[in-house]
Amino acid sequence: MTTTTMKTIAVFFDASLGGRRVLEIAARMAQEHGARLVAICTVIDERPKATESHVRSDAEVMRRHEHSVSIRVAQAVQMLQLVSNRYGVASDLRVVPEGALREGYPVLSLYADLLVVGHPDTPGAPSAWSFNYTLRRGGIPMLLVPPTWEEPVIGRRIVVAWNSSPQARNALKASLPLLARAHVVDLVIIDAEHPSGQRDEKPSADAALYLAQHGAEIEVHRISSQPRPIAEALIDHAVRNDADLLVFGAYDRANFREPVLGGVSRTLLGASTPLPLFILP
């Protein structure tokens, strides 16, 4: 059995309830994997407009701004210390200025094994940050946590959407640290039959063997999406089987604008998906 783990987990967070919830999820994962936690929050520029600066001296305006920034940073430091101590993980705080996206933000998380974010709203991220931008420029695996998700643990029962595509294979490899520690990995093949009515068993068998060699406990399910859309069939299967994570490969990086599975990626990445998603371009 091959032991697979992560060494660095990054997370966007802020002092809101949603920001703390995502931070705790990332910290718990860092504890489980013995990883370092890199916590990233954004300092928003709230300097007064020119009309207000006419009333006060420039020096006073700057003092007020610096005081506001120092309070926000102190809150982030305190929250990170509390969460890091609770889970016994080593952590770093990275404070990102609001304009960081224009200055090449993805470099900040490029060398992490995983980036954990709230989705579709992302507490702690710059206002100009976007999910697609980070996938395209950073290429980092991402764990997207929906606002309705309240479970503290993610990755006990994982559904892997499998179609033998390069994107699916890459997502499977990138998620190995999670798959190897899951109680069950459910390899789901949708609409696997050829027009002749024959099934191609080898690709799914090879994937299952690969996962088993890395210590994963595997179940293989072949399901039909008809008459529903594929994304709906995947979500229904995951919910019915009490999954707490869905793994899939979304985009072809050579043609990033085109989802590999048409509308499937767009639906899964929509606001209504009820469980966390692991995604890799």
Side-chain angles (χ1 to χ4, degrees):
M1 180 180 73
T2 301
T3 301
T4 308
T5 190
M6 291 185 284
K7 298 299 184 184
T8 306
I9 295 175
V11 58
F12 274 129
F13 83 107
D14 62 16
S16 68
L17 290 177
R20 178 159 184 163
R21 178 176 57 91
V22 176
L23 178 63
E24 295 225 14
I25 287 172
R28 187 183 289 270
M29 295 183 72
Q31 178 191 53
E32 182 174 351
H33 290 267
R36 189 170 195 86
L37 181 66
V38 177
I40 308 165
C41 69
T42 301
V43 174
I44 299 177
D45 189 346
E46 294 183 339
R47 280 175 288 191
K49 297 179 181 179
T51 54
E52 185 175 348
S53 65
H54 288 315
V55 179
R56 301 182 179 91
S57 68
D58 289 342
E60 181 183 357
V61 169
M62 288 304 300
R63 281 196 299 270
R64 289 171 64 88
H65 171 67
E66 291 171 359
H67 180 66
S68 175
V69 169
S70 65
I71 289 176
R72 291 175 180 272
V73 172
Q75 289 174 337
V77 169
Q78 182 179 33
M79 180 178 289
L80 180 58
Q81 287 178 340
L82 287 172
V83 173
S84 299
N85 291 340
R86 175 177 298 125
Y87 294 99
V89 297
S91 62
D92 297 322
L93 175 66
R94 296 192 183 180
V95 179
V96 180
E98 174 62 27
L101 190 69
R102 294 185 295 273
E103 296 165 8
Y105 164 71
V107 173
L108 292 174
S109 60
L110 182 62
Y111 299 105
D113 297 299
L114 183 67
L115 175 61
V116 182
V117 300
H119 181 76
D121 297 321
T122 308
S127 59
W129 182 86
S130 74
F131 164 79
N132 284 347
Y133 180 91
T134 301
L135 278 177
R136 182 178 57 197
R137 295 290 298 274
I140 182 174
M142 297 178 68
L143 177 66
L144 312 182
V145 183
T148 55
W149 188 259
E150 297 181 354
E151 297 297 324
V153 178
I154 293 176
R156 292 296 176 260
R157 186 176 186 104
I158 303 176
V159 168
V160 178
W162 182 252
N163 65 354
S164 300
S165 68
Q167 292 73 34
R169 291 196 297 270
N170 290 339
L172 184 144
K173 291 178 182 178
S175 62
L176 269 178
L178 299 174
L179 301 177
R181 287 165 172 75
H183 295 166
V184 177
V185 175
D186 189 353
L187 196 67
V188 177
I189 301 98
I190 298 183
D191 302 336
E193 290 191 356
H194 297 300
S196 64
Q198 299 297 316
R199 288 178 174 174
D200 185 358
E201 303 286 351
K202 192 173 188 302
S204 60
D206 287 346
L209 177 60
Y210 175 77
L211 290 172
Q213 289 172 335
H214 285 272
E217 298 293 330
I218 310 299
E219 293 181 1
V220 178
H221 287 90
R222 295 174 178 82
I223 64 177
S224 172
S225 66
Q226 299 304 317
R228 302 164 297 173
I230 291 176
E232 184 178 324
L234 270 173
I235 292 171
D236 286 350
H237 177 87
V239 171
R240 281 189 288 103
N241 287 274
D242 296 322
D244 56 11
L245 184 62
L246 173 59
V247 173
F248 72 106
Y251 295 98
D252 180 352
R253 295 183 70 183
N255 188 14
F256 185 78
R257 293 183 179 182
E258 294 299 325
V260 172
L261 298 177
V264 175
S265 297
R266 288 191 294 272
T267 301
L268 290 176
L269 296 172
S272 61
T273 301
L275 74 160
L277 302 173
F278 180 100
I279 181 172
L280 181 75

